Amino acid sequence: MKKIGVFVCHCGVNIKDTVDVEKLTEQLAIYPGVTYIENYMFMCSDPGQNMIKKAIKEKKLDGIVVAACSPTLHESTFQNAVEEIGLNKYQLEVANIREQCSWVHNNIQEATRKADLIIKTAIEKLKLNESLKPVSAPLTKRVMVIGGGIAGIQAALDIADGGYEVVLVEKKPSIGGHMIQLSETFPTLDCSQCILTPKMVQLGKNKKVTLYVNSEVESIDGFMGNFKIKIKRKPQYVDPDICTMCGDCTDVCPVVVHSEYDEGLSWRRAIYVPFPQAIPASFTIDTENCLGFEPIACGECKKVCQAEAINYDVKTEFFEEEIGAVIIATGFDLYPVENIAEYGYGKYPDVLNGLQFERILSATGPTGGEMLRPSDGKVPKEIVFIQCSGSRDPERHKSYCSRICCMYTLKHAKLYKHKVHDGQPYIFYIDIRSGGKRYEEFIQQAVSEEGIVYIRGKVAKVYKKGDKMIVHGMDTLTGKKVEIEADLVVLAQSIVPSEGVEKLIKTLKLSSDDSGFLMEAHPKLRPLESLQSGFYLAGAAQGPKDIPDSVSQASGAAAKILALMSKDEIQHEPIIAVVDENMCSGCGICIGTCPYGARILDENKVAIVNDILCEGCGACISACPSGAAQQKNLTDDQINNMIRVILS
Amino acid sequence: MKLPYYPGCTLKANARHFEKSAIQAMEKLDFQLVEMKDWVCCGTVFSMTSDDLMLQLASVRNLLRAEKQNLKELIVLCSMCYNTLKRANDFIVKDKGNLEKVNNFMYKENLTYSGKIEIYHLLSILKDRIGFSVIAEKVKKKLSALKIGAYYGCLLVRPEELAIDNFEDPSIFEDLISTLGGESLDFAYKLECCGAYQTVTKKDVSVKRVYEILNSARESGCEAIVTSCPLCAYNLDFLQKDVEEEYLDFNRIPVFYFTELMAVALGCGWDKNWSSLHFTDPEPLLREKGLI
Amino acid sequence: MYIRIKAADINNTQVKKIEELSGQNIFDCYQCGNCSSGCPVVDYMDISPNQAMRLAQYGRIEEVLSSEMIWICSTCLQCSSRCPKGIDVAKVMEAFRTINLRNGIGVVNPKQLGITETKDIPPILLICAMRKMTG
């Protein structure tokens, strides 16, 4: 029989205050199989680990149970420790007596009894554990980045810099994301396009980067290190290699639609360049609005194109890429402001969202950077900014803080002041959140020196009276209701996951949080990784984020991937399904049950397991009618023994 | 077709023209409003304290009697009755304990209320059951050139769970006006309180509310206001006397019930007696526009 | 302009009474002020609805009970419909009024209203005022 050592952690007071560790030690010392038992304040500390190592050596232990916190936290710590001393890491079991016991109970006697049982089940499991070796699998050293905003661009550049090939998939006709729409960036007020376009150009010219624009991920197969991803590319109908960018086509196009780049504040044609610095630089046809697909109806652009670059017959194309790891950088959109009817967006042209105001501030915007309001082109002399428009409102809109609005709203107010010196900006706020580096100073300076008035309270209503926008708000500091006759109102809309990301999450089988943002593997310790192996997160796809944070996360995710790519092969957990060939009847039920395609019938009609593909989910094991399939180190015998202990 | 209808107190008193015009207009649409028997006051305001089951009794008694008369639903014209009856109904239907207590208390009615009566405002019936397009076809006298502000007040749209339309941006009233051929104009105060019962306790509060509401409508170009609540109608119309004294820039503006406009548009004409039930007589405006 | 905040006042029995009568959690309020900015009669109030909520969070129920604002509130439900935390503020105001009315404070005597001719006043108005102001 195995000689088992049990190590009970106090976790400071986290466990000790609710579980009587001394009594536990006494009771378990006489449990069959237990050769050695000890308790200690912090088992995860160096002295704690040394205690385990010393006991293995001196008492010749061949199985260890550490009763401590959840295995998601310290299982690997203890596995490494036992391996250092030569014990196979699968001869270690963690009994979770913190999250599943001490934290959720307060009766010491009962909690101690429960901890005792939890540890005994771990001992019973351990008794039948085999020593295992990780499964090795090959690694495709190519990376896919989904989303071509600042986060995606940064991640792609860093990975290409590390020497690996990158495939960047962007659903719009150009990379650049929302950052290309911005005027200047807080807190330094440097021009957004000036700092972004060099990166875009770098990316466009990088030989290691394959760019798919107008494209989306269609399907995925395989597993970490060995994905096969199908990309669907919508045609742009203009061959970028032939197009001379002369612009004759746009001049004759009869279709006029709202410009996405200018957030609906200006117009574009159905054949257009998304914006001057677009990458790839080419005209593209917007199929939803173009009339040319009915040759009788139109076809003007094709007639005037001397280079003969336009071809209406191009079809949607599909590409398959072999990929080792994927970064999701799908960014954000603004919460539809039409949902907040009391602010009158959509009804009044002089109520704008934050991105629209960015366009008005921008030199490449609809007014050429002049501060003019949309309704009548007049210079607005008083502007009201409304923060938390849809954020921090669990009842009707979004419960979370959108994190970037406090800063960009102040930036808006400042830039407005720089353009209209005698203008008066007012900012309605509930709290000011300025936690970033030099953010607070940015705000203080504006309030002291630039005449920006902050009003603490939420706006209830905005309506039009003559050519003014009347704003009814509250100043909770004086306790008085406030009315402002403004010329323009700007709403700091909540940040929401970008449109279409829900579908992508389904396609890639990823997880999202209750707001639709991608879920990280651990909120503090693994914020760059998805819960699903092989997927990494960058930028606002994971949650509202400003540019510095998006770039940091993108570089961080890239570093994670570079570390992965530096290995020759990937190692796969060996806790997977195994089949007893003599018992398998070849019914094939497991094949349909396996979500990973890891079960196949071999020539002898035995349903074997592909070790690389198997994720150890256990679905086939519970489905197997003959009991031929077993999970390694979690066999029926082990589970039965564990249940028996609990019921005894 | 017959529609069981609950009038409420004021439609039998100061708002008789509301009831009469409704009956006439509905007849033109081939619907007969049949008054339920033995109805009592609804209580006018829904009691909002959690321990006041007693204050729901007036409403529930009506529901119970409607059930006794084999009715499945009650059509209500007055916004306050609608709000009070419907909230009281929801209050007891959604909580079986409340329903049981109320039934036990009213044992003398010799019947227990099952909670199956549905409460509808006439506006919802016009929109959802009859359909505005059907009504449009029956319009004899289009209210063309009449610029009307639809005033919802509070109780048609709040609380949200019983709002007859989007509670922040409703359009059912405006759609009815367009159906009748009139021009509906949006104005900022259409969802704001008229002062309600403050008229008898703190009249200055109501007077200022009425001034602001009517002024906002005037500024938006409205020539008349339309409403569905006898209390709003009273405040908005009869307080114009006080508003005039208080605010020198004020100009009177007629306040209609929506059923009056329906009656005119559907060809029932204007009953002289209705004029006397208004403070600001709408008749001259209707004449000026050639509608009567 | 001085409040002595004491642990014993926070969530005292009076606060619990208000919460029980209204069915609302006073401590949900994070003071955004939306109730007050949308209130159509706030200009007649001595303290604003959000201040009443704040005072209640400090346990200073008496201060709200003696304020004018609870009687100015006309139960239009605008505050309740827009509260980002889903507090039915109008119910909280009703709870304050109810406590007063049950103690005989603020009860309106119809004879003192100076109404001589009831036929000119619609029943809906009188009944509704009486229901609200007599408890």
Side-chain angles (χ1 to χ4, degrees):
Chain A
M1 196 156 85
K2 273 184 193 166
K3 291 164 91 177
I4 293 172
V6 178
F7 297 85
V8 182
C9 179
H10 304 180
C11 194
V13 294
N14 276 300
I15 292 171
K16 194 176 149 229
D17 269 8
T18 326
V19 171
D20 185 342
V21 289
E22 294 300 338
K23 191 176 162 202
L24 209 54
T25 312
E26 235 170 78
Q27 285 172 359
L28 289 164
I30 51 167
Y31 190 73
V34 176
T35 319
Y36 183 79
I37 184 158
E38 233 178 311
N39 66 61
Y40 185 61
M41 198 194 311
F42 288 109
M43 228 58 235
C44 59
S45 66
D46 258 6
Q49 293 181 48
N50 286 337
M51 194 181 273
I52 300 173
K53 287 194 245 178
K54 193 164 158 243
I56 295 173
K57 211 167 173 182
E58 289 177 0
K59 310 283 173 193
K60 305 212 168 8
L61 302 177
D62 43 21
I64 301 293
V65 171
V66 181
C69 54
S70 161
T72 57
L73 292 172
H74 273 306
E75 187 177 45
S76 59
T77 309
F78 298 120
Q79 283 180 335
N80 292 341
V82 301
E83 274 198 328
E84 276 175 42
I85 209 79
L87 189 67
N88 183 280
K89 69 178 185 182
Y90 297 97
Q91 298 298 352
L92 173 115
E93 283 295 329
V94 174
N96 180 357
I97 58 166
R98 193 179 75 173
E99 284 84 344
Q100 289 177 357
C101 187
S102 72
W103 275 0
V104 288
H105 299 295
N106 44 31
N107 180 322
I108 294 181
Q109 214 185 335
E110 291 288 301
T112 307
R113 198 177 77 87
K114 182 172 169 185
D116 180 66
L117 289 176
I118 291 173
I119 296 169
K120 283 176 182 164
T121 54
I123 295 170
E124 285 308 321
K125 176 174 186 291
L126 176 62
K127 282 179 182 169
L128 296 180
N129 269 7
E130 286 174 60
S131 292
L132 302 173
K133 275 202 185 105
V135 180
S136 293
L139 172 66
T140 309
K141 301 203 175 187
R142 293 185 93 215
V143 180
M144 175 174 283
V145 176
I146 305 175
I150 179 60
I153 291 173
Q154 184 64 45
L157 286 174
D158 287 348
I159 294 164
D161 226 13
Y164 298 100
E165 284 185 22
V166 182
V167 174
L168 194 145
V169 181
E170 165 59 49
K171 83 177 165 193
K172 298 228 170 92
S174 168
I175 56 167
H178 282 308
M179 187 176 165
I180 197 70
Q181 294 177 292
L182 308 184
S183 51
E184 290 164 28
T185 55
F186 62 79
T188 43
L189 298 189
D190 38 358
C191 153
S192 182
Q193 301 189 342
C194 311
I195 57 175
L196 178 62
T197 47
K199 283 187 185 287
M200 289 167 63
V201 173
Q202 235 179 307
L203 188 96
K205 294 205 183 311
N206 197 310
K207 296 245 169 357
K208 295 236 174 246
V209 179
T210 312
L211 192 56
Y212 289 96
V213 292
N214 279 323
S215 302
E216 290 182 66
V217 169
E218 177 78 2
S219 63
I220 186 164
D221 270 327
F223 53 97
M224 178 180 186
N226 297 279
F227 293 116
K228 280 196 175 67
I229 302 179
K230 202 174 190 188
I231 299 163
K232 176 182 171 184
R233 186 169 74 186
K234 286 189 292 182
Q236 65 183 76
Y237 304 101
V238 183
D239 188 335
D241 296 333
I242 308 176
C243 172
T244 59
M245 297 289 282
C246 69
D248 287 350
C249 52
T250 285
D251 294 343
V252 297
C253 177
V255 181
V256 177
V257 289
H258 281 293
S259 151
E260 293 86 358
Y261 178 57
D262 277 338
E263 292 289 326
L265 292 176
S266 72
W267 307 91
R268 64 160 174 84
R269 303 288 168 162
I271 184 163
Y272 69 112
V273 181
F275 48 89
Q277 313 94 318
I279 301 236
S282 170
F283 278 86
T284 184
I285 290 182
D286 154 17
T287 43
E288 271 173 42
N289 295 297
C290 173
L291 306 171
F293 298 95
E294 293 279 355
I296 311 162
C298 194
E300 292 299 321
C301 54
K302 192 172 178 173
K303 275 182 228 160
V304 298
C305 181
Q306 290 186 348
E308 295 185 359
I310 300 170
N311 179 4
Y312 298 130
D313 299 325
V314 182
K315 296 279 175 286
T316 296
E317 287 174 281
F318 292 90
F319 303 87
E320 191 170 271
E321 292 282 358
E322 295 196 350
I323 297 293
V326 182
I327 293 188
I328 317 284
T330 44
F332 71 95
D333 274 325
L334 293 183
Y335 181 58
V337 82
E338 294 82 349
N339 296 0
I340 311 175
E342 61 266 37
Y343 292 165
Y345 180 93
K347 199 149 118 186
Y348 310 125
D350 292 327
V351 177
L352 303 177
N353 70 31
L355 274 175
Q356 289 177 315
F357 196 67
E358 290 286 348
R359 297 310 303 145
I360 291 190
L361 288 168
S362 171
T364 57
T367 56
E370 268 192 85
M371 181 44 61
L372 307 172
R373 68 176 192 176
S375 65
D376 53 11
K378 282 190 191 150
V379 178
K381 292 291 184 188
E382 290 182 76
I383 295 197
V384 166
F385 295 91
I386 302 176
Q387 292 192 176
C388 298
S389 176
S391 301
R392 304 180 68 195
D393 187 334
E395 184 65 15
R396 293 171 54 205
H397 307 293
K398 299 291 169 192
S399 58
Y400 50 84
C401 163
S402 290
R403 226 172 141 219
I404 61 171
C405 325
C406 285
M407 295 312 296
Y408 82 62
T409 297
L410 175 68
K411 177 198 76 180
H412 283 168
K414 265 196 189 193
L415 293 176
Y416 163 74
K417 243 340 218 179
H418 296 173
K419 287 181 193 279
V420 184
H421 300 303
D422 59 344
Q424 181 59 58
Y426 309 94
I427 301 177
F428 280 92
Y429 73 103
I430 307 176
D431 297 294
I432 300 175
R433 290 170 178 182
S434 52
K437 191 169 176 179
R438 300 210 64 78
Y439 288 6
E440 180 62 19
E441 294 89 328
F442 186 64
I443 289 189
Q444 304 257 349
Q445 184 270 341
V447 175
S448 311
E449 294 167 23
E450 303 208 41
I452 290 160
V453 174
Y454 270 97
I455 303 170
R456 198 205 170 278
K458 196 146 185 185
V459 168
K461 191 183 172 91
V462 175
Y463 64 92
K464 194 167 188 261
K465 187 177 174 184
D467 66 344
K468 295 281 184 187
M469 301 308 305
I470 311 297
V471 178
H472 284 197
M474 182 71 195
D475 176 27
T476 60
L477 300 180
T478 59
K480 298 215 168 18
K481 184 164 172 171
V482 181
E483 189 176 313
I484 295 175
E485 288 192 9
D487 299 306
L488 192 65
V489 175
V490 182
L491 307 177
Q493 284 307 108
S494 346
I495 301 294
V496 295
S498 67
E499 206 195 324
V501 79
E502 210 180 323
K503 195 179 139 216
L504 181 74
I505 287 172
K506 266 195 197 133
T507 307
L508 300 181
K509 299 188 190 84
L510 301 177
S511 340
S512 56
D513 62 23
D514 53 0
S515 304
F517 291 107
L518 280 138
M519 186 92 113
E520 58 285 330
H522 188 281
K524 286 142 222 166
L525 304 177
R526 291 173 69 197
L528 310 173
E529 294 151 79
S530 157
L531 276 166
Q532 285 68 25
S533 1
F535 295 93
Y536 297 81
L537 311 176
Q542 184 228 353
K545 232 173 246 98
D546 59 15
I547 297 169
D549 284 358
S550 292
V551 171
S552 309
Q553 198 185 14
S555 288
K560 282 260 165 203
I561 286 187
L562 290 178
L564 175 76
M565 293 292 149
S566 71
K567 295 178 182 132
D568 293 326
E569 52 185 15
I570 54 160
Q571 299 213 312
H572 193 307
E573 270 291 312
I575 310 287
I576 53 173
V578 61
V579 178
D580 182 336
E581 294 184 8
N582 298 322
M583 285 171 78
C584 176
S585 68
C587 70
I589 289 175
C590 53
I591 296 168
T593 317
C594 177
Y596 305 100
R599 300 298 304 266
I600 28 172
L601 274 187
D602 70 3
E603 62 272 23
N604 301 323
K605 294 262 181 212
V606 171
I608 54 166
V609 178
N610 180 334
D611 287 359
I612 296 170
L613 293 180
C614 178
E615 286 285 332
C617 70
C620 61
I621 294 153
S622 52
C624 178
S626 56
Q630 291 290 320
Q631 180 95 316
K632 282 188 188 163
N633 283 358
L634 203 63
T635 58
D636 287 353
D637 288 345
Q638 285 175 296
I639 294 171
N640 285 337
N641 290 347
M642 290 161 83
I643 295 172
R644 214 165 279 140
V645 173
I646 292 175
L647 297 181
S648 65
Chain B
M1 229 175 101
K2 289 181 179 175
L3 289 173
Y5 130 80
Y6 172 90
C9 57
T10 308
L11 270 72
K12 297 293 181 186
N14 308 55
R16 296 188 295 278
H17 47 329
F18 190 2
E19 178 179 56
K20 292 207 170 103
S21 55
I23 291 173
Q24 289 180 13
M26 290 305 283
E27 270 171 12
K28 293 281 179 191
L29 298 172
D30 303 321
F31 281 88
Q32 195 190 345
L33 289 177
V34 184
E35 186 175 327
M36 77 168 274
K37 290 182 210 105
D38 296 333
W39 59 269
V40 293
C41 172
C42 65
T44 66
V45 281
F46 176 76
S47 168
M48 299 206 297
T49 40
S50 55
D51 64 350
D52 251 353
L53 216 50
M54 182 82 104
L55 293 179
Q56 316 290 352
L57 289 182
S59 281
V60 182
R61 186 162 281 126
N62 284 304
L63 301 169
L64 188 143
R65 288 181 182 176
E67 205 167 70
K68 212 184 245 180
Q69 293 163 33
N70 288 323
L71 304 179
K72 300 269 178 296
E73 58 180 4
L74 282 178
I75 314 301
V76 188
L77 272 66
C78 162
S79 306
M80 285 188 95
C81 299
Y82 165 72
N83 193 287
T84 311
L85 288 172
K86 193 164 168 66
R87 283 186 92 177
N89 200 18
D90 288 351
F91 183 71
I92 55 168
V93 170
K94 285 177 185 160
D95 185 329
K96 287 262 151 50
N98 286 340
L99 182 63
E100 201 181 316
K101 268 188 221 160
V102 166
N103 273 326
N104 287 342
F105 195 84
M106 295 196 297
Y107 64 94
K108 281 202 170 173
E109 294 276 350
N110 280 327
L111 192 85
T112 50
Y113 177 51
S114 73
K116 286 196 180 126
I117 298 282
E118 297 279 350
I119 307 292
Y120 296 104
H121 193 279
L122 182 62
L123 278 168
S124 309
I125 299 289
L126 294 175
K127 181 184 170 217
D128 302 327
R129 203 171 298 173
I130 304 176
F132 286 155
S133 54
V134 174
I135 299 174
E137 283 168 20
K138 301 202 171 167
V139 168
K140 297 261 174 349
K141 198 99 193 162
K142 283 197 170 179
L143 306 180
S144 325
L146 191 56
K147 296 186 172 100
I148 309 164
Y151 176 75
Y152 291 82
C154 311
L155 300 179
L156 280 183
V157 287
R158 289 187 291 271
E160 187 182 0
E161 52 270 23
L162 58 75
I164 62 167
D165 199 353
N166 181 319
F167 80 109
E168 281 288 4
D169 190 19
S171 65
I172 184 168
F173 243 144
E174 283 87 343
D175 295 342
L176 176 66
I177 294 167
S178 317
T179 301
L180 301 176
E183 187 183 346
S184 73
L185 296 176
D186 191 36
F187 68 106
Y189 284 70
K190 68 181 184 181
L191 301 176
E192 290 209 356
C193 177
C194 67
Y197 50 84
Q198 301 291 10
T199 304
V200 288
T201 49
K202 294 190 177 355
K203 198 170 185 180
D204 49 335
V205 173
S206 293
V207 170
K208 189 175 177 199
R209 291 312 302 148
V210 170
Y211 168 69
E212 284 178 345
I213 293 163
L214 296 180
N215 228 22
S216 148
R218 266 276 187 235
E219 279 173 1
S220 301
C222 302
E223 299 165 318
I225 301 283
V226 60
T227 180
S228 75
C229 171
L231 179 50
C232 299
Y234 176 80
N235 280 348
L236 292 179
D237 194 2
F238 284 81
L239 290 188
Q240 291 190 23
K241 183 164 173 283
D242 305 83
V243 173
E244 244 171 12
E245 286 165 16
E246 191 80 20
Y247 302 94
L248 297 175
D249 64 334
F250 178 73
N251 283 316
R252 290 188 188 184
I253 182 165
V255 179
F256 288 101
Y257 284 115
F258 69 99
T259 50
E260 290 181 296
L261 289 176
M262 284 176 66
V264 170
L266 294 168
C268 310
W270 179 261
D271 186 334
K272 274 276 171 202
N273 293 322
W274 297 351
S275 290
S276 63
L277 293 165
H278 287 264
F279 172 74
T280 299
D281 186 1
E283 208 182 309
L285 177 68
L286 292 172
R287 264 186 213 297
E288 182 198 318
K289 300 285 176 184
L291 296 169
I292 49 172
Chain C
M1 301 296 273
Y2 168 82
I3 298 182
R4 169 89 205 283
I5 296 172
K6 295 198 293 272
D9 285 342
I10 292 169
N11 217 352
N12 62 20
T13 49
Q14 278 185 304
V15 176
K16 290 195 178 109
K17 185 71 196 165
I18 293 289
E19 291 194 328
E20 185 196 318
L21 279 174
S22 63
Q24 308 299 308
N25 179 355
I26 296 291
F27 298 95
D28 272 345
C29 173
Y30 70 30
Q31 287 293 313
C32 72
N34 206 346
C35 48
S36 307
S37 60
C39 177
V41 289
V42 73
D43 42 350
Y44 281 89
M45 292 177 172
D46 48 353
I47 57 170
S48 58
N50 69 293
Q51 286 176 325
M53 295 296 292
R54 190 73 190 132
L55 286 167
Q57 289 174 337
Y58 288 141
R60 299 177 73 87
I61 301 298
E62 288 300 336
E63 219 167 308
V64 185
L65 289 176
S66 59
S67 74
E68 186 66 10
M69 70 88 59
I70 55 172
W71 305 109
I72 301 288
C73 164
S74 317
T75 328
C76 76
L77 310 181
Q78 189 68 270
C79 47
S80 307
S81 73
R82 290 200 183 127
C83 175
K85 297 300 297 293
I87 306 169
D88 197 333
V89 186
K91 278 190 178 165
V92 179
M93 297 306 136
E94 182 102 331
F96 282 117
R97 280 191 298 269
T98 302
I99 288 183
N100 271 338
L101 293 171
R102 287 181 187 174
N103 288 314
I105 300 161
V107 177
V108 167
N109 180 346
K111 284 183 189 152
Q112 291 166 350
L113 288 176
I115 297 167
T116 46
E117 203 59 78
T118 48
K119 81 171 171 55
D120 292 339
I121 295 187
I124 192 171
L125 178 52
L126 272 183
I127 301 168
C128 148
M130 287 306 114
R131 289 259 295 196
K132 278 284 173 193
M133 300 304 197
T134 56

